[in-house]
Amino acid sequence: QGENLLYCFEVASAQPALTQVTQCRTEGSTRGLAAVPRLALDVMACEVLRVLQLTDTALVPVSYLVPRKSVQEFHEDLFPDCIGTVPATEAQAWWAGDSQQVGRVSLHPARRPTETFTSPVIASTRHTDPNTGHTDPDTGHTDTDRTSGYSSPSSLASPGSVATSLSASTGPSSGFASSPSQKSLQSILGPSSRFRHTQGRVLHRNSHLTNLRGLSLTTPGECDGFCANRRRVALPLLSAGGQIAVLELSKPGRLPDTAVPTIQNGVAVADLSWDPFDPQRLAVAGEDAKIRLWRIPEGGLQETLQEPEAVLQGHTEKVYSIRFHPVASDLLVSSSYDMTVRIWELSAGREVLCLQGHTDQIFSMAWSPDGKKLATVSKDGRIRLYEPRHSPQPQQEGPGPEGGRGARLVWVCGGDYLLVSGFDSRSERRILLYRAQALPEGPLSVLGLDVAPSTLLPFYDEDTGVVFLTGKGDTRVFLYEVTPEPPYFLECNSFTSNEPHKGFLFLPKTACEVREVEFA
């Protein structure tokens, strides 16, 4: 009383005994609460509970509905038979030991009971039978055509159902009638994510880098558009010669209007990536089929860099994607329009393995968290899994997304599963979950999200199991917790930004403010 929050919990006999299902914020403060009997619920609208809230000035109904695709039919699992309104026995019989139970009645509108009960009027002088001295009990039960003390609302009982109602109510009216077991609200609504209330928040402007000029927005779809590590961010520029701006995250604020020092890559940038173990080394894939390695001086760029530390040559066509190895230093993998995937040893500056088996453009590739396997998804509609230390041929293949417009993949659930984002034949964006050990069996689960032109870029946080999905030009970031058991995808709060983003990246976990419970 006096509060304006209404909590709904599910009670179970096993642990956890109490699970919060939902909470509702009411307009006025509560002075009293009452639940409406189940016979009065709008069962065809899947209403499972209705509470009346008394405020200072009003009586407010609060309705709880379970979302169901079909509301034209009666859902037996939501509405088991409930206790009826006709008493099972009389007072004297109860004292004498009769323990019959009130008969259960159906909530189905066509099978509503018509039998009602009106208690006898207690006059000032009791009508007693002079022979027995007992009150006549027969006045308690009324025939079915008498007026009812409490009946179900007429709006719920369908017309022309009197015959079926009567025949339905001639069954056993005492004892526990069989009814489907009361399913818990949680099992009806389905499981929910522990992180469903995650809130995305734009940090204060004093942490922003502003006045960015001349950004290149034409990097291939296989590229994230820019790259960042815990210290700095690298941004391809539009100007000739494949220039790349390198900005220090420790120096936020407005950039000067004058030109900033850049890396002169020499050719247009196709993809770029920071070395995860060396925050000063940047690998840049160019449109001339070469990969250049650049070293950023301690403290950031003070002058224009023109000479790369090393140049890797071997691809015969444009390179469009590069990825550093997550476990070993000096290992880099690249994919190219020559339909090969090559693994490079940077300390020696040479190619050590060329992976075969692709028949079309390679959309995306990803190392497994333990670094043993490499997964790729290709325009030929196939997902391939390689073990580079054992063979240059794919270890297994499986069907990928249908549409040839683009796809991304990321390892999830401890490296046992692969999450692929792509399109279907009608250009709907969707995410697919595969068991890494069973690619030929196809996806375990497919979830359609929306229709949009850009490929969804997935980012996975392995500590919470939450995947973030957004595309270039989108304003919305989808969040799902990924679980290895059905329903596989548990929706969390999505985040919407004020303007479309041209790129979207996650910093290493060491950048998180853990005291604010920030996890990404």
Side-chain angles (χ1 to χ4, degrees):
Q1 290 186 336
E3 296 184 5
N4 65 342
L5 272 178
L6 197 57
Y7 296 96
C8 176
F9 283 88
E10 179 202 338
V11 187
S13 53
Q15 288 296 334
L18 279 177
T19 312
Q20 186 171 337
V21 179
T22 172
Q23 68 181 47
C24 165
R25 190 176 291 276
T26 56
E27 286 182 19
S29 295
T30 299
R31 296 286 165 244
L33 282 174
V36 171
R38 286 184 72 78
L39 280 162
L41 298 179
D42 186 356
V43 292
M44 298 312 280
C46 297
E47 181 183 43
V48 293
L49 178 67
R50 193 186 313 158
V51 176
L52 293 179
Q53 179 206 26
L54 178 67
T55 67
D56 291 330
T57 57
L59 199 58
V60 183
V62 181
S63 180
Y64 288 83
L65 305 175
V66 173
R68 283 288 164 94
K69 279 183 180 167
S70 167
V71 289
Q72 275 80 40
E73 57 196 63
F74 178 75
H75 292 277
E76 300 270 355
D77 58 328
L78 292 183
F79 303 105
D81 294 355
C82 74
I83 292 173
T85 56
V86 176
T89 183
E90 281 127 8
Q92 283 90 352
W94 184 82
W95 283 111
D98 186 352
S99 293
Q100 289 192 81
Q101 302 296 311
V102 173
R104 291 183 169 262
V105 295
S106 171
L107 288 171
H108 194 297
R111 298 200 291 270
R112 286 296 170 97
T114 52
E115 197 178 355
T116 59
F117 171 79
T118 308
S119 54
V121 176
I122 300 173
S124 51
T125 58
R126 291 168 61 93
H127 300 291
T128 53
D129 188 290
N131 300 327
T132 61
H134 280 181
T135 309
D136 180 11
D138 287 341
T139 52
H141 279 286
T142 62
D143 292 327
T144 51
D145 58 358
R146 288 270 295 274
T147 55
S148 65
Y150 173 80
S151 67
S152 60
S154 57
S155 62
L156 293 180
S158 57
S161 62
V162 179
T164 55
S165 311
L166 282 171
S167 60
S169 63
T170 53
S173 61
S174 60
F176 285 110
S178 64
S179 76
S181 64
Q182 174 72 53
K183 288 197 176 178
S184 66
L185 197 55
Q186 191 75 32
S187 69
I188 293 164
L189 294 169
S192 58
S193 170
R194 294 171 298 163
F195 308 103
R196 63 187 180 279
H197 300 306
T198 298
Q199 297 269 310
R201 192 175 82 232
V202 178
L203 297 185
H204 192 270
R205 279 190 73 84
N206 63 14
S207 65
H208 297 195
L209 285 153
T210 59
N211 200 32
L212 304 178
R213 291 165 171 248
L215 295 180
S216 168
L217 304 176
T218 56
T219 51
E222 293 77 27
C223 170
D224 291 341
F226 70 119
C227 67
N229 63 18
R230 60 185 182 273
R231 294 189 193 170
R232 46 186 70 97
V233 57
L235 300 150
L237 300 180
L238 203 53
S239 50
Q243 294 189 39
I244 302 166
V246 177
L247 308 175
E248 299 295 305
L249 291 175
S250 59
K251 299 172 184 171
R254 182 184 165 90
L255 296 178
D257 292 334
T258 56
V260 294
T262 60
I263 292 173
Q264 296 275 359
N265 194 55
V267 294
V269 175
D271 195 14
L272 67 178
S273 179
W274 290 106
D275 187 329
F277 305 112
D278 183 351
Q280 288 165 254
R281 180 154 70 176
L282 178 71
V284 180
E287 296 196 348
D288 61 352
K290 295 176 186 172
I291 300 166
R292 292 166 175 81
L293 301 176
W294 299 90
R295 183 158 293 280
I296 311 302
E298 194 68 56
L301 274 189
Q302 307 300 331
E303 56 186 14
T304 298
L305 273 187
Q306 295 184 333
E307 282 304 314
E309 186 179 65
V311 180
L312 307 175
Q313 299 187 48
H315 282 295
T316 56
E317 300 261 352
K318 182 168 101 173
V319 180
Y320 46 54
S321 188
I322 52 177
R323 295 283 184 273
F324 275 96
H325 196 276
V327 175
S329 63
D330 291 326
L331 270 186
L332 180 78
V333 65
S334 61
S335 62
S336 155
Y337 278 95
D338 62 17
M339 288 186 277
T340 64
V341 173
R342 296 174 194 246
I343 299 176
W344 308 83
E345 207 171 284
L346 304 185
S347 52
R350 64 186 178 88
E351 174 193 324
V352 286
L353 186 65
C354 180
L355 302 180
Q356 307 289 342
H358 294 97
T359 59
D360 207 336
Q361 181 183 350
I362 301 150
F363 283 141
S364 177
M365 54 188 182
W367 289 105
S368 60
D370 59 13
K372 293 178 182 175
K373 296 176 181 167
L374 180 76
T376 67
V377 58
S378 168
K379 193 174 183 176
D380 60 14
R382 306 293 289 170
I383 296 172
R384 294 174 176 84
L385 199 59
Y386 292 86
E387 286 198 49
R389 287 186 293 195
H390 295 150
S391 168
Q393 296 296 332
Q395 178 210 358
Q396 52 172 317
E397 286 188 34
E402 299 167 27
R405 299 182 50 181
R408 286 298 187 99
L409 51 72
V410 64
W411 294 79
V412 297
C413 301
D416 294 330
Y417 294 79
L418 275 167
L419 184 136
V420 181
S421 72
F423 297 88
D424 69 359
S425 52
R426 299 191 310 279
S427 297
E428 183 189 39
R429 298 198 291 190
R430 52 198 350 209
I431 50 178
L432 305 91
L433 189 71
Y434 295 80
R435 252 190 56 234
Q437 293 304 318
L439 286 185
E441 294 173 13
L444 288 172
S445 179
V446 180
L447 180 66
L449 296 184
D450 60 358
V451 176
S454 60
T455 308
L456 284 167
L457 314 178
F459 298 95
Y460 180 69
D461 177 54
E462 57 190 38
D463 301 341
T464 56
V466 171
V467 67
F468 302 78
L469 299 135
T470 191
K472 296 178 192 175
D474 289 9
T475 54
R476 183 175 177 190
V477 182
F478 296 95
L479 272 77
Y480 288 91
E481 184 185 351
V482 186
T483 65
E485 59 273 334
Y488 302 111
F489 300 115
L490 302 175
E491 190 171 3
C492 305
N493 271 343
S494 60
F495 165 72
T496 306
S497 59
N498 295 329
E499 49 188 278
H501 27 259
K502 308 286 186 273
F504 202 85
L505 280 180
F506 279 77
L507 291 174
K509 289 288 279 224
T510 47
C512 291
E513 187 61 70
V514 291
R515 284 171 297 193
E516 299 277 329
V517 205
E518 178 186 41
F519 72 97

